[in-house]
């Protein structure tokens, strides 16, 4: 049974690598507006030639240049005119025209990303004090804390300023986090108690991830493929955690229903991405609300994982007796 499930992990991990043919075009209607293009050109002539304008220190610290600042100023100018005239708000360069705060491009997403990361950091004490050093899940949950904090740090940095490097750090760390949740589910489902048992699963998950990152970094950064690969891993992870739910129910666990509910809530939060509406108050869009929705879910995941590990240990001790 374990061998069959390990093969499932390997196959599921490779699914994403077979989806190379899917692509996404990041076109934005605002980029093509004559008024926007003219505004940017005029601003660059007036403000940027011969270093005519020096940006404030906080903007320069976040790598704003005269040209990128002109782009932002014109986005806001076109957007305000559209709002005043009751016309639709356009996206620019694949993003909504948010009001920046102290040079931060997407302030709401930054705040919610930081809060998500804080929930992971806060859970460190719960994991370390709630599980004995000898418990096999203590190590893997500790790694989950570190990885989760890193993932949301990368998310916050990306939303502060969107550069190719910050974008890739955000995407690659998020993909690794999704994959690690699958890894945790398989370890829990198979009740793997040692590194000797677990390393097969770890290798089966890491090899496709390394190939995935290598393809995106060295061949082509394909947004559609990256999305499809993460979705494939996410679906497989959902299946594994639903199996864990069934196992917990059969073992008489009083909180057996929690992983299924948390999976549904996580998917529901992610589904907010489908409602790509113009930001409310020029700040809160669907993406930022998705980040906001996951904050309490993170805390409940850790509570379940620690309680589940304790229950599983108690069950194992009862069987030995």
């Amino acid at each position: 049974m374990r061998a069959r499930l390990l093969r499932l992990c390997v196959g599921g991990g490779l699914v994403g690598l077979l989806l190379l043919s899917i692509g996404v075009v990041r076109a934005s209607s605002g980029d093509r507006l004559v008024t926007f293009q003219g505004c940017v050109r005029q601003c660059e002539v007036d403000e940027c030639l011969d270093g005519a304008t020096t940006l404030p220190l906080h903007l320069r610290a976040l790598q704003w240049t005269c040209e990128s600042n002109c782009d932002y100023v014109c986005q806001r100018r076109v957007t305000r005119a559209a709002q005043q005239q009751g016309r639709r708000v356009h996206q620019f360069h694949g993003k909504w025209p948010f009001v920046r705060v102290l040079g931060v491009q997407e302030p709401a997403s930054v705040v919610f990303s930081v809060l998500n990361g804080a929930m992971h950091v806060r859970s460190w004490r719960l994991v370390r004090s709630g599980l004995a050093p000898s418990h096999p899940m203590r190590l893997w949950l500790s790694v989950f804390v570190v990885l989760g904090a890193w993932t949301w740090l990368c998310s916050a940095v990306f939303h502060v300023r969107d550069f190719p490097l910050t974008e890739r750090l955000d995407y690659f760390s998020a993909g690794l986090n999704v994959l690690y949740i699958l890894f945790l589910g398989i370890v829990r489902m198979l009740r793997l108690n040692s590194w000797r048992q677990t390393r097969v699963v770890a290798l089966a998950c890491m090899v496709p991830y390394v190939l995935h990152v290598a393809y995106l970094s060295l061949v082509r950064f394909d947004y559609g493929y990256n999305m499809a690969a993460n979705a494939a891993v996410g679906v497989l992870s959902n299946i594994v955690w639903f199996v864990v739910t069934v196992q917990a129910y059969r073992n008489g666990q009083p909180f057996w229903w929690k992983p299924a509910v948390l999976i549904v809530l996580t998917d529901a939060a992610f589904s907010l991405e489908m409602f790509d509406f113009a930001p409310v108050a020029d700040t809160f869009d669907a993406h930022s609300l998705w980040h906001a929705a996951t904050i309490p879910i993170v805390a409940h995941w850790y509570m379940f994982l620690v309680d589940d590990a304790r229950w599983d240990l108690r069950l194992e001790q009862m069987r030995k007796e």
Side-chain angles (χ1 to χ4, degrees):
M1 178 65 177
R2 287 188 177 185
R4 185 180 304 169
L5 288 169
L6 287 178
R7 288 195 295 271
L8 179 62
C9 175
V10 178
L14 293 173
V15 164
L17 298 176
L18 301 178
L19 301 174
L20 301 178
S21 60
I22 301 176
V24 171
V25 177
R26 302 181 79 198
S28 297
S29 56
D31 303 344
R32 299 188 294 270
L33 292 175
V34 175
T35 52
F36 172 68
Q37 295 173 355
C39 175
V40 172
R41 284 194 298 269
Q42 189 61 50
C43 177
E44 291 179 351
V45 170
D46 295 340
E47 305 291 339
C48 303
L49 290 181
D50 301 321
T53 300
T54 300
L55 296 179
L57 178 61
H58 68 279
L59 294 182
R60 286 182 280 129
L62 292 179
Q63 300 300 303
W64 286 93
T65 64
C66 184
E67 290 76 14
S68 62
N69 188 62
C70 277
D71 191 276
Y72 167 77
V73 169
C74 289
Q75 285 185 36
R76 294 302 311 154
R77 188 173 298 168
V78 170
T79 299
R80 284 194 298 269
Q83 291 170 333
Q84 291 169 0
Q85 297 169 17
R87 293 184 283 109
R88 75 183 183 96
V89 173
H90 292 268
Q91 287 191 344
F92 299 85
H93 317 310
K95 290 180 175 289
W96 291 110
F98 301 97
V99 170
R100 69 186 179 191
V101 176
L102 298 177
V104 173
Q105 279 184 293
E106 301 176 54
S109 288
V110 171
V111 170
F112 297 144
S113 293
V114 169
L115 291 176
N116 271 284
M119 295 307 295
H120 281 275
V121 173
R122 179 186 176 190
S123 300
W124 176 264
R125 182 177 295 180
L126 174 65
V127 171
R128 304 299 286 185
S129 62
L131 297 175
S134 59
H135 197 293
M137 286 300 291
R138 190 174 190 256
L139 171 62
W140 305 124
L141 293 184
S142 297
V143 173
F144 187 40
V145 171
V146 175
L147 180 59
W150 170 252
T151 297
W152 287 106
L153 173 62
C154 290
S155 173
V157 170
F158 170 60
H159 291 304
V160 168
R161 286 290 276 126
D162 179 358
F163 295 118
L165 176 60
T166 59
E167 178 183 56
R168 279 155 178 72
L169 284 173
D170 179 45
Y171 283 22
F172 293 159
S173 62
L176 183 58
N177 195 60
V178 171
L179 186 62
Y180 194 80
I181 293 173
L182 169 62
F183 167 79
L184 275 181
I186 294 174
V187 170
R188 171 62 184 84
M189 180 175 66
L190 300 181
R191 289 182 168 79
L192 303 179
N193 296 321
S194 68
W195 171 242
R196 186 175 182 179
Q197 295 173 318
T198 310
R199 63 186 177 185
V200 179
V201 178
L203 187 63
C205 292
M206 280 307 299
V207 169
Y209 175 76
V210 171
L211 294 175
H212 172 75
V213 171
Y215 171 78
L216 292 174
S217 301
L218 305 176
V219 181
R220 182 165 66 102
F221 197 90
D222 188 326
Y223 293 92
Y225 155 63
N226 182 66
M227 185 189 307
N230 280 288
V233 175
V235 169
L236 187 57
S237 178
N238 286 358
I239 294 171
V240 168
W241 281 105
F242 277 122
V243 172
V244 171
T245 301
V246 173
Q247 290 177 334
Y249 173 75
R250 289 178 176 175
N251 289 330
Q253 190 182 94
F255 43 88
W256 60 268
W257 47 271
K258 282 190 176 182
V261 171
L262 290 171
I263 284 293
V264 171
L265 289 176
T266 301
D267 290 347
F270 179 72
S271 69
L272 287 170
E273 285 280 81
M274 295 187 299
F275 304 99
D276 194 18
F277 52 84
V280 177
D282 293 326
T283 303
F284 302 97
D285 68 332
H287 186 80
S288 67
L289 294 180
W290 164 39
H291 287 345
T294 57
I295 296 170
I297 297 175
V298 171
H300 285 284
W301 260 117
Y302 277 106
M303 287 188 284
F304 164 74
L305 290 169
V306 171
D307 289 343
D308 175 70
R310 289 171 176 168
W311 177 269
D312 199 52
L313 180 61
R314 187 182 307 123
L315 194 64
E316 195 67 28
Q317 292 173 342
M318 291 173 58
R319 286 172 178 169
K320 290 179 179 179
E321 294 174 357

